[in-house]
Amino acid sequence: MLIVDVLLAGFTLGGMYALIAMGLTLQYGVARIMNLSYGEVLVMSAFGTWFAVTRLDWNPVAVLLASLPLGYLASWLIYRVLMMPLVRRSGAGPALEVDSILATFGLLFLLQGVLLLAFGGNYYSYSYLSQPVDILGSQVAANRLVVLGFAAAIGLGLYLLLTRSRLGTAVRAVAVAPRFAPLVGIDVWRLSAIAFGIGGALVAGGGTLLSMFLPFSATMGVVFAMKALVVVIMGGVGNLLGCLVAGLMLGFAETLVARFVDPGLTLAVNFALFLLVLLLRPAGLFGRVAR
Amino acid sequence: MLEIAGLSVRYGKHLALDDVALKVGRGEIVVMLGANGAGKSSLLKAVGGMVKREPGASIRLAGTELAGLPAHRIVGAGLALVPEGRGVFGELTVRENLALGAFPHRGRAAEADNFERVQNLFPRLRERLDQAVRTMSGGEQQMVAVGRALMSAPAILLLDEPSLGLSPLMCKELFQALARIRDDGTGVLLVEQNARQSLAIGDRGYLLEGGRVVGSGSAAALGADPAVRAAYLGVAHGEAA
Ligand SMILES: Nc1ncnc2c1ncn2[C@@H]1O[C@H](COP(=O)(O)OP(=O)(O)OP(=O)(O)O)[C@@H](O)[C@H]1O
Ligand SMILES: [Mg+2]
């Protein structure tokens, strides 16, 4: 059935976008680092997964369980070692945004260079649960269902962490009012490192999930970082619900256009949607202009 | 209990706070009076680590030196600050603001008790636990700010003009709550423009002028001092109260 096809494809793609954007919004909205190398981390994780699956015979789901904490650790380290000097120097001022863009731009080329050196410019993929499953008369590759399920589970886990735990509430407090956070004993730098790390866990998990159903190459990180940024801004910086809605919007727009119009137009539709949202709501779907 | 000495704050060339010394004991309300720009907010911010202190300051709480600690460690050591403008998390709910009040370890042990206590102190908050603080009235937000500070089980509570912008009724409610907080054994350092009401509930007071402490005494003595009455209570010299 066509409608089931479109729904499943839209939710899988949109869910992936939402998940990746949530990580970026944590890094930008809480840690206040505009991480341009975000997409490269995604691709690194995809290649890491490919290596573990094809060379070490790991199950992709096991790789997912490893890539989440690894992504956290690596990003936490990047914040503590590479970003901390910039954070200190900026004194929480606006200089951090520019500095972090420059620094992560450098990191982008470094990571991409390493990937190109190791894997070249070709597309890679591996086969995982690619046999079709029948859902209400539609044939869907089983791996997409696995991806959709894990994306939903990780998104839900993040939501619960941020809204139900004290640590998560503290992370949101830093997002909305970093100046006041020390009043309740929150160490803003420590929490920023944690938020940056959680963002890294999400994008690493996203890379592993991506590799389960899409081919990937060393240079495609930029496109994903751009899409994630579009989703973050569309949804309203720092807003998880905004990420979810905007991510799904983007996923469905792409699916519909690719299916019924022309696959070559997806990017154009992305940006048309982006512009439309910004024209109607300049601070994003769920953002407030000033707080 | 809280002993401050040699506390100075400089904004560029301007010395906003000059070698201030003061004490706040357990279970007493100490009122800090001063005109606009006297340095009252700078004093509290300096104690709370929110502005840079000049070297040589000593801030001792129950004998422990706090002057070297960063802002986020001060509240954990027992000094909770409610700053000018309240500093609440407007996007979060009342419940979340109060839960964050217990973020420092010292607030964890008796968190449930303190949560109950804050709601008894400010019954209005009980009905509004899931409201976003930004949507509350100024007085209600002030209650959230004081409640949040109490959630860390502070030894000393530092309040910067909590009555600012409150209706007389709200103001009275708040001052009654402060008296109860004091009676529970917490020390309160209260910066106020509202000299009449604060001296009425206060135990002792200091006068701050141009960044210096220029006078101190019991609340009763300050309230009776003609110079204080002229400057802060709007009573002309020689006029009967
Ligand atoms: N961030 C700052 N930069 C420069 N000068 C400042 C700063 N904050 C305060 N000042 C100056 O320091 C002095 C003391 O300010 P402070 O806010 O402590 O006064 P205050 O006693 O709290 O006054 P008010 O009753 O109006 O709140 C003022 O002259 C003020 O202009
Ligand atoms: Mg002031």
Side-chain angles (χ1 to χ4, degrees):
Chain A
M1 250 190 353
L2 189 61
I3 177 121
V4 180
D5 273 5
V6 170
L7 277 179
L8 276 173
F11 269 118
T12 311
L13 198 61
M16 281 295 301
Y17 287 160
L19 189 68
I20 296 171
M22 281 175 188
L24 189 66
T25 212
L26 275 177
Q27 294 195 338
Y28 185 48
V30 181
R32 292 186 164 74
I33 303 285
M34 181 76 268
N35 185 0
L36 292 189
S37 67
Y38 194 69
E40 272 52 48
V41 181
L42 180 90
V43 177
M44 278 211 132
S45 163
F47 275 103
T49 308
W50 174 86
F51 186 82
V53 170
T54 60
R55 298 289 183 271
L56 309 177
D57 254 353
W58 280 41
N59 182 306
V61 172
V63 180
L64 177 65
L65 296 183
S67 71
L68 290 170
L70 266 178
Y72 176 89
L73 220 65
S75 292
W76 185 88
L77 270 176
I78 287 178
Y79 184 88
R80 295 305 305 196
V81 177
L82 292 179
M83 299 300 147
M84 234 11 241
L86 307 181
V87 175
R88 280 215 171 83
R89 196 172 63 186
S90 73
L96 181 58
E97 209 149 320
V98 177
D99 283 356
S100 68
I101 285 176
L102 293 178
T104 56
F105 199 42
L107 197 59
L108 180 163
F109 283 112
L110 183 76
L111 295 180
Q112 200 179 82
V114 170
L115 283 172
L116 279 172
L117 222 68
F119 297 99
N122 291 333
Y123 275 86
Y124 282 65
S125 66
Y126 57 87
S127 167
Y128 168 62
L129 292 181
S130 49
Q131 65 274 27
V133 182
D134 187 278
I135 292 188
L136 298 172
S138 282
Q139 303 284 310
V140 194
N143 54 31
R144 289 195 175 238
L145 295 179
V146 173
V147 167
L148 182 57
F150 274 109
I154 293 172
L156 183 69
L158 178 69
Y159 176 79
L160 291 178
L161 175 75
L162 289 180
T163 54
R164 300 292 148 85
S165 76
R166 198 193 314 266
L167 185 75
T169 309
V171 166
R172 284 187 296 137
V174 174
V176 296
R179 269 185 321 131
F180 301 149
L183 290 174
V184 295
I186 293 173
D187 180 348
V188 173
W189 291 347
R190 188 176 79 93
L191 267 280
S192 293
I194 290 176
F196 199 81
I198 297 175
L202 290 180
V203 72
T208 298
L209 288 176
L210 182 100
S211 72
M212 292 182 191
F213 76 108
L214 283 182
F216 47 90
S217 77
T219 51
M220 71 188 261
V222 179
V223 177
F224 274 92
M226 206 167 61
K227 284 186 182 173
L229 189 59
V230 163
V231 171
V232 165
I233 295 173
M234 262 170 72
V237 172
N239 193 308
L240 288 187
L241 192 64
C243 280
L244 182 64
V245 173
L248 288 177
M249 269 170 71
L250 215 61
F252 272 100
E254 285 191 11
T255 306
L256 288 171
V257 168
R259 184 55 79 72
F260 298 112
V261 189
D262 181 346
L265 282 180
T266 51
L267 213 57
V269 166
N270 269 344
F271 286 103
L273 198 61
F274 181 45
L275 284 179
L276 186 71
V277 167
L278 285 194
L279 279 175
L280 296 178
R281 295 195 54 100
L285 294 171
F286 292 82
R288 257 192 304 281
V289 176
R291 17 183 192 246
Chain B
M1 174 148 232
L2 173 66
E3 289 175 54
I4 296 171
L7 186 58
S8 304
V9 171
R10 192 182 281 283
Y11 300 111
K13 270 191 179 161
H14 178 60
L15 195 59
L17 207 62
D18 186 4
D19 196 23
V20 165
L22 62 86
K23 279 186 193 164
V24 182
R26 238 188 99 71
E28 78 169 339
I29 295 182
V30 174
V31 182
M32 178 65 62
L33 296 176
N36 292 120
K40 306 181 298 296
S41 297
S42 301
L43 167 67
L44 290 198
K45 281 191 246 174
V47 175
M50 307 294 280
V51 296
K52 204 173 142 294
R53 299 173 282 250
E54 291 298 293
S58 162
I59 300 169
R60 297 173 77 83
L61 181 64
T64 313
E65 182 58 58
L66 307 184
L69 296 184
H72 66 266
R73 300 271 308 276
I74 302 273
V75 55
L79 290 183
L81 169 64
V82 178
E84 209 170 19
R86 301 186 278 267
V88 289
F89 302 113
E91 312 291 310
L92 307 188
T93 64
V94 173
R95 189 192 301 278
E96 287 169 338
N97 269 275
L98 294 181
L100 282 178
F103 189 83
H105 283 292
R106 65 179 293 129
R108 304 277 172 97
E111 184 178 356
D113 289 349
N114 288 333
F115 188 51
E116 211 30 57
R117 181 169 156 237
V118 166
Q119 292 175 81
N120 287 335
L121 215 49
F122 304 114
R124 215 177 273 264
L125 296 186
R126 196 187 292 278
E127 310 138 28
R128 313 263 173 137
L129 285 175
D130 294 307
Q131 187 174 346
V133 171
R134 140 183 78 76
T135 64
M136 303 179 90
S137 81
E140 290 162 355
Q141 293 193 21
Q142 192 60 257
M143 292 174 187
V144 174
V146 175
R148 187 182 70 180
L150 288 176
M151 289 299 290
S152 67
I156 305 280
L157 189 58
L158 310 166
L159 300 170
D160 196 343
E161 299 199 36
S163 71
L164 196 71
L166 301 198
S167 71
L169 194 69
M170 276 273 201
C171 193
K172 193 165 155 237
E173 231 175 275
L174 182 79
F175 277 80
Q176 278 168 356
L178 293 186
R180 284 172 62 188
I181 291 166
R182 177 247 330 260
D183 297 340
D184 288 345
T186 308
V188 179
L189 178 56
L190 177 62
V191 161
E192 261 301 335
Q193 299 270 0
N194 188 338
R196 197 180 303 272
Q197 253 174 323
S198 54
L199 284 178
I201 62 157
D203 299 291
R204 288 190 305 114
Y206 292 89
L207 306 178
L208 198 65
E209 222 178 274
R212 289 181 189 211
V213 173
V214 295
S216 65
S218 74
L222 286 176
D225 183 328
V228 174
R229 293 166 65 84
Y232 304 109
L233 295 172
V235 182
H237 276 279
E239 191 185 306

